[in-house]
Amino acid sequence: MQRRPFPRTLSIIVLFLRPVLMVITKRDWQGQERLPDGGFVLAPNHLSHLDPFLISHFMVDQGIPPRFLVKDTLMSLPVAGRILRSAQQIPVYRSSEGAGESLRAAIAAVEAGSVVTIYPEGTITRDPAAWPMSGRTGAVRVALATGRPLVPVMQWGPQEILWPYTKRPRFFPRKTIHVRVGEPLDLSDLAGRELTEQVLHEATDRLMDGLTAMMAQVRAELPSTPRIDVHTLGRPKTNYRRSDQ
């Protein structure tokens, strides 16, 4: 598998954080051989505030420097924001005019050979049983704009350490982090078609169906309630300001 250079700040973070994750988690990772070379979009489901650390652990062990679309409110913090920028993370201005700017930066990164992780749900699942919700179209848009693969990645286990929107982690006994890498999403039928909102949502539904199916295999059960529509949730906070204001 292709090994990629890591930014210095990211290498330092990995040096200190990876040994901790090795101690507090067990790992069940499958499908790494499906990860393509070159730039592509990684699209995982979102279970917990710990997800970026745990999915980064998986990526680092595959020789992939983690690059995420990070909420601009975090990027604007004095210390954390400086670290995130130095680690080459990409700010995302969610549900604002600036969302397009974020996608342009993600497109440029993928075209330059980077792997960019985009959570299609855009936020931690609100499903009471932690099933994937519906998705936003950003991951599909970047993949189609670049012509590079869109790889679904399902994770299950972070919620056992820190349940969605709770504040008390339970590190012990050690929890197993399950990761499944799916086949790159086939978007060939969209080639040459006008990318209307309907087409983008259909492709995103295809992505979320794949993530749900992989989770069902790991959990040995199926969802018992309809999928939550992320578009019915409240608008996220953002610090975005138009450049002409």
Side-chain angles (χ1 to χ4, degrees):
M1 185 176 295
Q2 178 186 4
R3 309 296 292 187
R4 308 159 192 264
F6 280 59
R8 184 170 183 271
T9 297
L10 193 54
S11 296
I12 294 172
I13 294 172
V14 170
L15 179 65
F16 286 96
L17 191 56
R18 185 177 180 275
V20 175
L21 295 176
M22 291 292 290
V23 170
I24 65 174
T25 66
K26 295 183 285 186
R27 292 150 298 285
D28 170 30
W29 295 341
Q30 298 181 29
Q32 298 94 308
E33 69 281 357
R34 298 190 178 107
L35 295 171
D37 291 332
F40 62 91
V41 179
L42 202 68
N45 60 303
H46 206 347
L47 289 165
S48 168
H49 288 298
L50 296 178
D51 286 356
F53 301 102
L54 297 170
I55 203 71
S56 291
H57 186 187
F58 169 77
M59 295 171 70
V60 166
D61 280 14
Q62 314 314 313
I64 300 174
R67 292 191 75 178
F68 293 84
L69 294 189
V70 178
K71 292 186 295 186
D72 66 297
T73 50
L74 292 177
M75 298 288 273
S76 63
L77 296 174
V79 177
R82 183 176 179 181
I83 293 173
L84 289 169
R85 287 189 296 273
S86 181
Q88 299 183 2
Q89 305 308 298
I90 301 171
V92 58
Y93 306 96
R94 300 185 300 170
S95 299
S96 72
E97 295 177 44
E101 296 177 18
S102 309
L103 293 187
R104 283 192 288 274
I107 288 168
V110 171
E111 289 179 334
S114 291
V115 177
V116 176
T117 300
I118 302 177
Y119 289 103
E121 293 160 282
T123 189
I124 297 171
T125 183
R126 305 293 211 283
D127 187 273
W131 290 98
M133 302 186 292
S134 71
R136 301 184 187 275
T137 60
V140 168
R141 288 177 187 272
V142 173
L144 290 172
T146 59
R148 298 297 301 161
L150 173 60
V151 181
V153 174
M154 190 286 305
Q155 55 175 349
W156 181 247
Q159 81 291 339
E160 293 188 0
I161 301 175
L162 185 64
W163 187 259
Y165 299 101
T166 60
K167 297 180 179 180
R168 290 188 176 183
R170 297 181 177 180
F171 294 111
F172 298 101
R174 288 198 305 165
K175 311 302 189 294
T176 300
I177 307 303
H178 305 273
V179 174
R180 298 292 183 272
V181 180
E183 294 287 353
L185 195 68
D186 184 6
L187 301 175
S188 58
D189 58 313
L190 303 182
R193 292 179 59 183
E194 181 184 358
L195 297 182
T196 63
E197 287 298 316
Q198 180 179 352
V199 169
L200 290 167
H201 282 295
E202 287 177 359
T204 301
D205 287 343
R206 195 182 307 171
L207 169 63
M208 302 315 297
D209 287 345
L211 290 171
T212 302
M214 286 191 285
M215 181 179 287
Q217 286 186 333
V218 170
R219 296 174 60 169
E221 61 178 327
L222 295 172
S224 59
T225 56
R227 186 176 292 165
I228 293 175
D229 184 354
V230 297
H231 301 92
T232 64
L233 305 179
R235 290 173 65 87
K237 295 180 180 180
T238 178
N239 290 331
Y240 176 73
R241 297 292 183 272
R242 286 172 47 181
S243 58
D244 58 354
Q245 291 182 336

